Amino acid sequence: QVQLEESGGGSVQAGGSLELSCTASGDILNVIGMGWYRQAPGKQRELVATLNRGGGREYADSVKGRFAISRGHAENVAYLQMNSLKPEDTAVYYCKAQGYLTNRRTYESWGQGTQVTVSS
């Protein structure tokens, strides 16, 4: 019922930048919050950054000062600007969105993931 499309992953050298984008579509009434998570090989999925409807942001300590989450003009679009990338940022990055469907039920949906590879 809700699909998330991510884009912007790729390979970059340490110190470089990438911007990820995520667009939610489907039977959406609203988007309460969107966030980015990542999972490195052999590790659990972890929070990178979240943004709620009121503009509140949360970041993992490891990315504070380097990553910035933002929303597009429409509330169903989110971006993750990643600067000063490090090899330890290498992971599959997933977008998550949550809110209400047009039938007034809640949803929480994940994207398919996009690979980010940072070489030293």
Side-chain angles (χ1 to χ4, degrees):
Q1 290 172 307
V2 176
Q3 298 81 42
L4 299 185
E5 183 175 351
E6 301 144 333
S7 63
S11 296
V12 66
Q13 288 192 328
S17 298
L18 284 173
E19 183 179 66
L20 307 181
S21 65
C22 175
T23 301
S25 63
D27 300 326
I28 297 173
L29 177 65
N30 59 40
V31 180
I32 301 296
M34 295 187 79
W36 291 94
Y37 295 74
R38 67 187 181 187
Q39 186 166 19
K43 294 187 176 181
Q44 290 189 333
R45 190 173 298 188
E46 63 177 3
L47 178 149
V48 176
T50 61
L51 176 61
N52 63 37
R53 206 180 192 189
R57 291 168 168 83
E58 179 183 1
Y59 294 96
D61 288 343
S62 60
V63 307
K64 283 180 181 177
R66 300 187 298 122
F67 291 12
I69 187 171
S70 62
R71 260 180 163 158
H73 293 298
E75 66 173 10
N76 65 321
V77 179
Y79 302 96
L80 183 68
Q81 177 65 43
M82 304 184 294
N83 299 323
S84 301
L85 282 161
K86 304 175 181 180
E88 51 264 44
D89 294 318
T90 296
V92 177
Y93 283 70
Y94 298 89
C95 177
K96 186 177 83 168
Q98 52 198 110
Y100 286 89
L101 300 170
T102 53
N103 63 10
R104 300 302 195 265
R105 292 185 176 181
T106 61
Y107 69 88
E108 180 181 286
S109 297
W110 291 85
Q112 78 287 356
T114 185
Q115 178 70 46
V116 171
T117 302
V118 185
S119 58
S120 57

